[in-house]
Amino acid sequence: MNTTYTVGSLFKCENIDTLMYKYEHDPIWRQTALGCYVLEILKEMLQFNVTYAPRPPPYIDDYEVPSANNSIDIYVRPMMLKREYLDEGYPINSIFQWSFGFLLRYKRSELQTFYTLPFSTLVWTCLIWTLFLSASVFYLLSYWEKRLLGGECCLHHEILLAFSAYCQHILPLQANLSSRRMAYLIFILSAYVIHCFYTSNLLSHLVNDKDRRLNLEDLANTDYEFVIIKDMNLITEKHIQQVSIDKYLRTVEEKIYKSKVMDVYSALEAVRDTKTAVLTDYVTIYPVAKRLFDNHAQCELIEVNLYSKVKKYMFTSKTFPLTEQFKVITLRLKEAGLLTRTLKCDRLIKSCNNIVNQEQAGLSRISTPMILLAGSYVLALLILIGEKIHFEFCHLWPYIE
């Protein structure tokens, strides 16, 4: 079979390698190169020739698409399924899945006051008020017992007892009345439940990593700056123009309009060193990122998708006679793994999941409880000095009578 068919392509397939360094980071070039690879295999297997349809300059993204105004038989660049394409063209098979979004470095935030994480501020406030309220009830019951049976009665002791119940290190109890014993019992059981919930929840915060994924809304509310790679303007400008009608892009509309344009190396250096999110299709810049980022920085890179796993199809005209042969061959290419190997993304290191984020706790992690402990000792020393002075002048030991 030596039939010649007309091919629509932004580049001639024989020129793909020579244009690689000029359009290295352009997704349109990469997708066209993939289509050329499939086309060369089809040519060798079905033994047909091709001629390229003339196209006017300049470099136009949407020129070579199924249309009633052209006589193209095979469209090289894989495309999404759109109604206007389906009206004039015939999709063969999905060649690859395309993703487009933001790549950024998301550093884990260190847990400073981890001991307060299990409860919200409102719960902590309620627990403190409950402590003082319960201590007041204990004091009233101890005062009533003192009047009936004698003994000691001290508010400070009841506060310390309630606090020790929260910590599950309960001070010795001396209660004779059943009402006082029931009050202590109920409070201690409640404190035990609270203590169990606190310790288990605290452990879960310490051993479980937080979800590293962000959505568009979270990203829009952060202080990350958006950057567009200048070699990708041909594809990103089209998507930016769709902001007003695209529900995903509307989420980050304001920041997209303020995006900076940088070359790929400057953009990735900004991602590495500052809070910057670069708009990309990932595949085109991963090889560069692998050279610029060390292993730790690579493991901190995350993707926030605008479009995820969009299938791209190879198209022919509706009157093309080899559509069935194309479908069978492309399906066999996928089953044999040839397309998988070609589409294999030069991803970053694959050992990120095996890296355990174990860090030695610094002084900053325990500074607050250490300050509270030191303050408590200073307060106890001052109280001791006050008691000694009071004893020397009054010849009494305080808090006895």
Side-chain angles (χ1 to χ4, degrees):
M1 181 187 298
N2 293 318
T3 309
T4 300
Y5 298 105
T6 305
V7 173
S9 175
L10 293 170
F11 310 105
K12 291 185 177 181
C13 290
E14 55 265 26
N15 297 333
I16 286 294
D17 292 335
T18 60
L19 295 172
M20 179 177 66
Y21 297 101
K22 183 177 180 180
Y23 300 111
E24 179 182 5
H25 307 297
D26 185 354
I28 299 298
W29 172 86
R30 182 178 291 272
Q31 295 172 22
T32 303
L34 175 61
C36 285
Y37 172 77
V38 176
L39 180 62
E40 291 299 322
I41 295 177
L42 293 171
K43 283 173 57 180
E44 291 296 325
M45 296 186 70
L46 298 177
Q47 296 295 314
F48 62 87
N49 300 320
V50 297
T51 181
Y52 291 91
R55 63 179 184 87
Y59 181 93
I60 302 173
D61 179 16
D62 278 344
Y63 178 72
E64 306 295 347
V65 298
S67 171
N69 299 324
N70 60 45
S71 57
I72 296 174
D73 298 310
I74 306 170
Y75 300 90
V76 170
R77 181 168 64 88
M79 293 171 284
M80 294 183 293
L81 294 179
K82 293 185 177 180
R83 179 175 299 177
E84 56 268 28
Y85 297 169
L86 295 175
D87 290 340
E88 302 297 335
Y90 184 85
I92 300 299
N93 263 326
S94 62
I95 304 300
F96 71 100
Q97 291 183 342
W98 180 71
S99 296
F100 186 71
F102 296 95
L103 183 70
L104 57 108
R105 186 177 181 183
Y106 186 70
K107 298 181 180 180
R108 290 182 60 197
S109 58
E110 295 186 356
L111 296 178
Q112 298 293 340
T113 56
F114 57 89
Y115 40 84
T116 62
L117 291 177
F119 298 142
S120 64
T121 304
L122 180 61
V123 174
W124 280 114
T125 304
C126 291
L127 290 177
I128 293 173
W129 278 106
T130 303
L131 186 147
F132 286 105
L133 180 61
S134 300
S136 301
V137 174
F138 297 158
Y139 175 73
L140 292 175
L141 292 173
S142 64
Y143 179 77
W144 178 253
E145 183 178 293
K146 177 184 177 182
R147 291 193 61 180
L148 295 178
L149 305 175
E152 298 179 0
C153 177
C154 179
L155 178 61
H156 304 85
H157 180 269
E158 303 299 339
I159 294 176
L160 185 60
L161 191 147
F163 185 80
S164 67
Y166 273 142
C167 300
Q168 292 300 293
H169 292 282
I170 305 169
L171 298 178
L173 298 175
Q174 295 180 354
N176 296 317
L177 293 179
S178 298
S179 58
R180 190 179 177 191
R181 291 176 181 177
M182 288 296 296
Y184 284 143
L185 177 61
I186 294 173
F187 182 79
I188 290 172
L189 290 176
S190 301
Y192 175 74
V193 174
I194 294 172
H195 181 268
C196 291
F197 181 83
Y198 174 83
T199 53
S200 60
N201 202 359
L202 177 63
L203 182 62
S204 68
H205 278 86
L206 294 178
V207 301
N208 293 332
D209 290 333
K210 290 186 176 179
D211 192 356
R212 295 179 66 250
R213 293 176 294 178
L214 293 176
N215 55 35
L216 282 178
E217 186 175 357
D218 294 334
L219 182 60
N221 294 328
T222 62
D223 55 350
Y224 278 84
E225 293 186 351
F226 288 0
V227 167
I228 298 175
I229 297 177
K230 66 179 182 180
D231 296 328
M232 293 180 60
N233 282 350
L234 296 170
I235 189 169
T236 54
E237 284 179 358
K238 174 187 175 183
H239 290 289
I240 289 174
Q241 292 170 1
Q242 298 175 350
V243 166
S244 59
I245 61 174
D246 193 296
K247 63 178 181 179
Y248 300 107
L249 288 172
R250 281 202 303 269
T251 307
V252 290
E253 175 180 359
E254 183 177 352
K255 282 195 171 183
I256 284 184
Y257 281 124
K258 295 180 180 179
S259 299
K260 298 179 181 178
V261 178
M262 297 182 179
D263 62 82
V264 62
Y265 290 96
S266 299
L268 288 177
E269 287 175 356
V271 171
R272 182 188 61 191
D273 302 328
T274 63
K275 301 187 74 172
T276 301
V278 59
L279 192 60
T280 175
D281 69 337
Y282 312 122
V283 180
T284 54
I285 65 172
Y286 268 138
V288 183
K290 194 172 183 178
R291 298 194 296 267
L292 291 180
F293 289 64
D294 58 23
N295 288 356
H296 179 71
Q298 290 180 31
C299 290
E300 292 180 337
L301 291 177
I302 64 172
E303 301 172 357
V304 181
N305 291 325
L306 284 174
Y307 305 98
S308 177
K309 297 182 179 180
V310 178
K311 290 184 178 181
K312 294 275 189 168
Y313 289 78
M314 190 173 186
F315 273 80
T316 64
S317 65
K318 286 193 172 183
T319 58
F320 186 62
L322 301 178
T323 54
E324 293 302 321
Q325 291 89 327
F326 273 31
K327 291 179 70 173
V328 172
I329 292 175
T330 52
L331 184 59
R332 288 182 177 178
L333 289 176
K334 293 174 68 174
E335 291 176 347
L338 293 178
L339 289 183
T340 303
R341 178 177 296 181
T342 306
L343 294 172
K344 188 177 181 180
C345 174
D346 190 8
R347 291 273 177 176
L348 309 179
I349 63 172
K350 299 182 179 180
S351 58
C352 292
N353 293 332
N354 299 326
I355 295 178
V356 181
N357 294 312
Q358 293 180 342
E359 300 178 4
Q360 292 182 340
L363 185 61
S364 60
R365 301 285 184 91
I366 58 173
S367 58
T368 302
M370 292 297 291
I371 291 173
L372 292 175
L373 180 62
S376 301
Y377 285 150
V378 171
L379 179 61
L381 180 61
L382 293 176
I383 293 174
L384 179 61
I385 295 174
E387 289 176 342
K388 184 177 181 181
I389 295 174
H390 182 75
F391 175 77
E392 290 180 352
F393 279 92
C394 302
H395 301 286
L396 298 169
W397 191 258
Y399 313 129
I400 296 299
E401 296 185 358

